[in-house]
Amino acid sequence: MPTITEKLLLERGRPKSTQLEKIKSLNLSDLSLENADLDSTLLRRLTSLEELDVSGNLLTELPASLPLPALRRLNCANNQLEEVTSLKQFRMLEELSLEDNLYMTISDSYKLMFLLPKLRRLSGKEITSTANHVRFVTSEELSRRVSSLWERSFQERLPSSPSAAQARVLGKEFVKAAETQVKYGASSLSDYTKWRVKMIARELLSSRLGVQCEASSEEEDLSESESGSDVREEAGSEQNRVPAAKRKEISSESSPRKKTCLSAADDITQSAERSPRRCVRFENVSTATDKAGLSPGVKLRESPRKSVQSLRSPRKLDQSQQSPMKAAQSQQNSRKTFQPQQSPSKSITSLRSPKKAEHSEQSLRKPVVIKESPRKADQPKAAVSQPDSSLDTLRKSPRKRQEKEPAKKGQGEEGEEEQGSRTPRRTSKDPITMKPLHFLQCHSKQNSPDDFSTQLWACAFEPRIDSSGGSRGHSSRTVATCGGESVCIIDCETGSVLNKYKVSGEEFFCLAWSMMTLLTGDGRGHRVSVLAAAGRRGVVKLIHPKASLAYGEFRASRRAVSTLCFSPAQESFLFTGTYDKKIILWDIGGLDCEYKFKVSQLLILEAASIPLHLRLVPSAPEHHLLAGCEDGLLLFDIQLSKNQLKRSSELEFQFPVYKKEEEENEFRLIDSLSFLSNDIVVSKSAMQGSIYLWSWSKTLASRRKSREVEVEILAELQWSSTELPYISLSTCPGEDYVVCGDEKGDLWTYEVSQCLRAGAKTDKMIPPTQILEWPVPNRKGHGPIAGTSVNSVAMDPELQYLVALTDKNIAAVWRRA
């Protein structure tokens, strides 16, 4: 792209002149300009500029300090604008073009109508009548409602002679109450309404109390409410960006942003029949139940995945290590639920090894307090250890800040924190330490703070799009989680829920990210991240989170979808594993500006049992697919050059634990599968009590004519002896790091770099490097929340964040210390 110089401006300006001050029209279109390319010092000299064209570039916003007093017409079409309030500096603006900006919403249009008093045409449409209604009628009605709220609920609470501190505290509470309680207009305008209500509430406080709310100018302008205390619950409110007829509908929350952090309750009540994951998968259930010592009236564990197979293991847990299933069975027979055990609290900072475990639990420690809002980004420790800290801290909008403010060395605290996400590879002398940061309860049924029954099943970090349009193995701090009726997009640093997608009656089991190219109206392509999610209904939902849009769906099966996997070699290729024991390869096609897409079925793989985990072999992603199933680990040939549409597996892998086959457990249920490198596979069987690291290349080389092949074990990692299946592990290849949760909420971590460097196979069981204990978060008035099964974990590629999902509707976010 060209450098913006005085010479370039004079060449592209009209009328021709040797002085910038005399230019009235300037065309800077189609130069691939980014935000940093706009030199405010240079552009400020265009004091006579009346028309500016910056269309066809890569701008996400215009500089805030760009006074162009004579500007009348501005063309920002075909950019990537995310934030419009910086345009308020152009007070004389009459015509504005914003077509083909993917992230613009109807709320942004209303903000512009209010901020620009002379604006009469917006994206080619005459808006004078609508703008006047927004500026006067709507503003007057919102002001009336805000004033009414103050007089009804806050005026009497103000002391006769309030101190400045008292006025500020009441003022903050009033602004938050106004944002959540004052409603007006269509739900699609909820962002605008909150933004305007906040502005009006602060004006009222200033006029009546002389209180100036402490907030940055950006916070004053952004439509986002306080990012630490409120979360986005709406997907449908933003869907006006495309015609309704071109969009697949998805039910969304209509309520305002909800609190991101845990509320209260220990009760868990959930039907045991609704989900296909709750089905009984073994014929002789009654026999297993009798052997387990259960009476006929006792309900089995309710987890969709954690079915009665757990009763079939010959292992016996002692009382101190009872699984949640066993705990549930010890309750009253008539109950379907289990109560969290009020066990002594474990310290957050006790990142212990097994050798220290018995000593660390001898003393009671102060439990973590779950807050109404997450802490500031630069004070992570306060988020979990200082219960008396303020809950009303205002912060910038996390979603926009994380992408618009790349960190640079020497830029202070925020710069250092963001720079941390690009930490150079550590040496063997630098152990990895993780600290708990947030505990979120964002999948609750009907947003109930008492919902501790929704089970969370899958999480994955969003790929980060770099300046060249690729991901390059990096990731953002944004993670997607699913469970119950909803899929949530979470900013790990702030703990804010950026988006929440709800489908009534659904139960989401799995999700997967992909990078895709979205074609704009002029044929140009923009790289975007797309999320696929599916579950009990067998329907795959396609979501563009940054546009807050669920743009499509397709039916993968009449049975539930258990797992999803995108191909890294072909961005639109999606594998689905379903409860009808099939793995299907789909091509979901590309995207255009109207979100049209076409789905086609390419391949059907017969798995013979329910597939639980799918992984493409990194060294040959277009040739081989590994499938961890309920009856073993299978290898499939997925080359499309072959004409065969339906295929069976080529190989079945045999593990040493199979030789310990017992009457009630064959150890063949593969409930964890991941790659640690191009060659090293990490997997475990349910109830195995350990984790295998094995070599893909050596295993394949040892293949004979038989369809079965013994895996070449490199190492065996010690893990929990729990009877619960479906506890999934995760790997971070860049750090040679493996993490797996357990039935008590603890995270077993393994730094295996030294083991891998040794090269030779070891028969000695390797203990975990650390066990991150469940921090026992505490909810005021309800006591500590005891640990429960960790169903899934995920790490970003640079291991700055770790997310763990539990059976109690809690998503725990850990950050690297």
Side-chain angles (χ1 to χ4, degrees):
M1 74 186 75
T3 303
I4 301 299
T5 62
E6 181 174 353
K7 180 181 178 181
L8 178 67
L9 296 181
L10 292 174
E11 288 177 353
R12 287 183 162 251
R14 297 290 184 275
K16 289 295 183 180
S17 174
T18 58
Q19 300 180 35
L20 294 178
E21 289 76 9
K22 294 184 178 181
I23 292 178
K24 293 189 175 182
S25 176
L26 178 62
N27 185 349
L28 296 177
S29 63
D30 300 314
L31 296 177
S32 298
L33 298 176
E34 298 182 2
N35 297 1
D37 299 319
L38 298 182
D39 186 347
S40 299
T41 304
L42 193 59
L43 295 175
R44 246 188 245 125
R45 294 170 54 189
L46 300 165
T47 53
S48 301
L49 189 67
E50 297 181 359
E51 182 174 355
L52 175 61
D53 185 352
V54 290
S55 62
N57 288 296
L58 303 173
L59 303 174
T60 60
E61 65 177 348
L62 293 184
S65 56
L66 187 62
L68 299 174
L71 191 65
R72 300 290 193 276
R73 290 178 295 280
L74 176 61
N75 186 354
C76 294
N78 196 14
N79 275 275
Q80 299 177 13
L81 294 183
E82 300 175 354
E83 202 278 311
V84 298
T85 54
S86 61
L87 299 179
K88 71 177 183 178
Q89 60 190 310
F90 308 129
R91 303 288 293 177
M92 304 303 292
L93 201 62
E94 298 175 1
E95 298 182 20
L96 175 61
S97 295
L98 293 175
E99 297 97 327
D100 291 327
N101 280 275
L102 301 177
Y103 311 126
M104 290 292 97
T105 69
I106 189 171
S107 288
D108 292 319
S109 298
Y110 272 60
K111 292 177 191 177
L112 290 169
M113 293 179 199
F114 175 78
L115 293 172
L116 302 173
K118 294 184 178 295
L119 190 66
R120 57 183 179 80
R121 292 189 68 83
L122 180 59
S123 296
K125 297 180 181 179
E126 176 63 44
I127 60 159
T128 302
S129 176
T130 304
N132 286 334
H133 189 278
V134 170
R135 294 165 190 151
F136 304 110
V137 179
T138 300
S139 291
E140 183 178 350
E141 178 61 22
L142 290 176
S143 296
R144 185 187 68 78
R145 298 188 183 199
V146 171
S147 297
S148 175
L149 175 65
W150 169 261
E151 294 168 358
R152 183 175 67 252
S153 304
F154 289 87
Q155 187 167 315
E156 294 183 355
R157 295 171 53 187
L158 189 69
S160 56
S161 300
S163 65
Q166 289 175 320
R168 278 195 299 271
V169 170
L170 187 63
K172 287 181 179 180
E173 186 179 346
F174 170 62
V175 172
K176 291 175 66 176
E179 282 187 276
T180 57
Q181 297 180 31
V182 174
K183 310 289 184 184
Y184 183 71
S187 61
S188 59
L189 294 174
S190 60
D191 280 350
Y192 168 76
T193 302
K194 291 178 185 179
W195 173 80
R196 188 72 183 98
V197 163
K198 178 188 284 188
M199 189 181 299
I200 293 171
R202 287 173 174 169
E203 291 171 355
L204 183 147
L205 291 172
S206 179
S207 62
R208 297 195 181 187
L209 303 180
V211 173
Q212 299 293 334
C213 291
E214 298 177 2
S216 69
S217 59
E218 182 176 354
E219 286 171 329
E220 183 75 40
D221 294 334
L222 288 178
S223 65
E224 307 289 335
S225 63
E226 296 153 288
S227 58
S229 60
D230 297 322
V231 303
R232 182 181 298 277
E233 297 284 355
E234 296 183 291
S237 64
E238 302 285 343
Q239 293 187 1
N240 293 320
R241 67 184 79 250
V242 294
K246 307 210 179 268
R247 189 172 66 230
K248 299 292 184 181
E249 294 184 355
I250 182 169
S251 174
S252 62
E253 297 288 344
S254 59
S255 60
R257 299 172 178 242
K258 306 296 179 184
K259 302 294 181 183
T260 59
C261 289
L262 234 46
S263 295
D266 297 329
D267 240 346
I268 298 180
T269 305
Q270 192 166 340
S271 168
E273 288 85 17
R274 289 178 52 194
S275 167
R277 293 197 177 189
R278 296 186 178 87
C279 64
V280 176
R281 293 178 286 105
F282 298 92
E283 296 178 1
N284 52 352
V285 178
S286 59
T287 304
T289 305
D290 293 340
K291 292 183 178 181
L294 299 180
S295 64
V298 177
K299 299 291 184 181
L300 297 176
R301 179 170 172 79
E302 300 171 304
S303 165
R305 290 190 167 193
K306 298 171 179 60
S307 68
V308 295
Q309 171 156 351
S310 59
L311 297 176
R312 302 178 57 117
S313 172
R315 291 193 178 90
K316 301 290 185 181
L317 294 181
D318 59 40
Q319 293 299 320
S320 64
Q321 291 183 331
Q322 268 195 338
S323 69
M325 181 190 69
K326 296 288 186 181
Q329 295 164 355
S330 66
Q331 300 298 318
Q332 297 177 1
N333 290 351
S334 59
R335 285 192 69 128
K336 296 181 181 178
T337 66
F338 65 88
Q339 299 289 337
Q341 301 175 4
Q342 300 299 322
S343 57
S345 303
K346 301 175 186 178
S347 171
I348 310 170
T349 56
S350 177
L351 304 179
R352 60 183 175 94
S353 67
K355 296 180 180 179
K356 298 179 180 179
E358 54 188 78
H359 300 290
S360 64
E361 294 182 2
Q362 290 177 357
S363 60
L364 296 180
R365 298 182 176 93
K366 190 174 182 179
V368 183
V369 177
I370 301 176
K371 308 310 281 178
E372 295 287 344
S373 62
R375 305 298 172 191
K376 290 184 178 180
D378 57 352
Q379 295 176 339
K381 293 183 180 179
V384 293
S385 61
Q386 297 182 7
D388 57 346
S389 299
S390 172
L391 304 182
D392 301 315
T393 306
L394 298 180
R395 282 175 282 120
K396 296 181 181 179
S397 171
R399 184 169 189 89
K400 296 182 179 180
R401 181 178 64 183
Q402 75 181 66
E403 299 189 18
K404 291 191 295 184
E405 298 182 4
K408 298 179 180 179
K409 292 183 179 179
Q411 281 189 336
E413 291 184 18
E414 288 192 13
E416 293 171 1
E417 194 167 290
E418 289 291 322
Q419 182 68 22
S421 66
R422 288 171 286 279
T423 305
R425 190 181 179 93
R426 64 188 172 86
T427 67
S428 58
K429 297 181 180 180
D430 301 325
I432 294 174
T433 304
M434 307 297 292
K435 300 283 187 179
L437 185 61
H438 302 294
F439 295 87
L440 310 179
Q441 187 187 14
C442 49
H443 291 265
S444 302
K445 301 170 188 174
Q446 300 178 351
N447 299 311
S448 169
D450 298 329
D451 178 10
F452 274 57
S453 65
T454 297
Q455 295 165 309
L456 310 185
W457 289 114
C459 53
F461 276 84
E462 177 183 14
R464 173 185 289 169
I465 305 173
D466 59 28
S467 59
S468 64
S471 60
R472 294 186 180 178
H474 297 287
S475 82
S476 66
R477 65 192 195 190
T478 306
V479 69
T481 62
C482 72
E485 297 180 333
S486 58
V487 175
C488 293
I489 313 295
I490 300 170
D491 183 330
C492 289
E493 181 59 38
T494 64
S496 295
V497 178
L498 306 174
N499 296 95
K500 182 176 180 179
Y501 306 90
K502 178 181 176 182
V503 181
S504 297
E506 178 63 281
E507 185 173 9
F508 285 104
F509 294 153
C510 51
L511 48 75
W513 289 97
S514 181
M515 304 297 302
M516 301 187 71
T517 299
L518 192 151
L519 297 177
T520 56
D522 62 355
R524 296 178 59 183
H526 293 285
R527 297 290 286 169
V528 298
S529 55
V530 169
L531 179 68
R536 183 172 62 89
R537 288 183 169 181
V539 175
V540 178
K541 298 287 183 179
L542 300 175
I543 301 168
H544 182 192
K546 196 170 183 181
S548 300
L549 181 66
Y551 68 86
E553 65 181 37
F554 68 93
R555 178 167 289 283
S557 173
R558 295 188 178 276
R559 302 287 301 278
V561 177
S562 56
T563 182
L564 296 171
C565 178
F566 274 105
S567 169
Q570 186 68 34
E571 61 191 18
S572 63
F573 282 12
L574 174 65
F575 290 89
T576 61
T578 59
Y579 273 68
D580 56 7
K581 304 177 183 179
K582 289 183 174 63
I583 301 168
I584 302 179
L585 172 58
W586 308 85
D587 185 352
I588 63 173
L591 288 175
D592 61 17
C593 58
E594 293 185 335
Y595 288 91
K596 294 178 181 177
F597 69 101
K598 183 179 180 180
V599 177
S600 56
Q601 188 181 104
L602 303 179
L603 199 59
I604 300 175
L605 308 176
E606 301 288 349
S609 63
I610 298 175
L612 303 176
H613 295 279
L614 302 177
R615 295 291 182 269
L616 290 157
V617 177
S619 58
E622 295 177 311
H623 294 172
H624 295 126
L625 174 73
L626 281 177
C629 304
E630 288 195 336
D631 196 29
L633 180 62
L634 307 177
L635 175 67
F636 290 92
D637 184 345
I638 58 171
Q639 296 181 72
L640 295 179
S641 57
K642 298 182 178 181
N643 295 326
Q644 189 178 4
L645 176 62
K646 291 187 177 182
R647 303 176 191 174
S648 299
S649 61
E650 284 199 336
L651 284 180
E652 181 177 354
F653 296 92
Q654 302 295 308
F655 293 92
V657 71
Y658 289 1
K659 298 176 182 178
K660 297 192 298 183
E661 182 176 319
E662 299 167 357
E663 182 181 352
E664 296 179 357
N665 188 6
E666 298 176 353
F667 299 102
R668 302 183 71 88
L669 190 154
I670 307 298
D671 63 359
S672 287
L673 178 65
S674 185
F675 275 87
L676 190 59
S677 69
N678 284 354
D679 184 59
I680 298 174
V681 188
V682 185
S683 66
K684 74 175 180 70
S685 299
M687 294 168 279
Q688 176 181 332
S690 62
I691 299 169
Y692 285 136
L693 271 63
W694 51 281
S695 169
W696 162 255
S697 60
K698 292 180 180 179
T699 299
L700 214 59
S702 66
R703 176 184 181 183
R704 300 293 181 263
K705 293 183 178 181
S706 172
R707 187 176 168 275
E708 297 182 351
V709 58
E710 296 281 344
V711 298
E712 291 290 328
I713 302 295
L714 299 177
E716 188 172 3
L717 310 179
Q718 177 188 353
W719 186 64
S720 169
S721 60
T722 178
E723 294 182 341
L724 296 184
Y726 306 109
I727 296 179
S728 180
L729 60 79
S730 181
T731 59
C732 182
E735 297 285 353
D736 295 329
Y737 202 64
V738 179
V739 177
C740 189
D742 66 13
E743 77 284 3
K744 298 185 294 182
D746 297 345
L747 299 177
W748 298 55
T749 69
Y750 310 85
E751 298 180 45
V752 297
S753 53
Q754 291 184 348
C755 163
L756 298 178
R757 279 196 296 269
K761 175 182 175 180
T762 174
D763 294 326
K764 184 179 179 181
M765 188 87 73
I766 299 175
T769 307
Q770 292 178 322
I771 295 181
L772 307 181
E773 293 184 322
W774 176 251
V776 194
N778 186 53
R779 180 64 178 173
K780 185 177 180 181
H782 296 270
I785 308 301
T788 185
S789 173
V790 175
N791 295 329
S792 180
V793 291
M795 296 170 280
D796 68 285
E798 293 169 347
L799 195 50
Q800 297 306 303
Y801 301 97
L802 188 158
V803 176
L805 305 185
T806 73
D807 256 1
K808 285 187 180 178
N809 189 24
I810 300 174
V813 180
W814 298 68
R815 185 172 67 180
R816 190 166 177 173

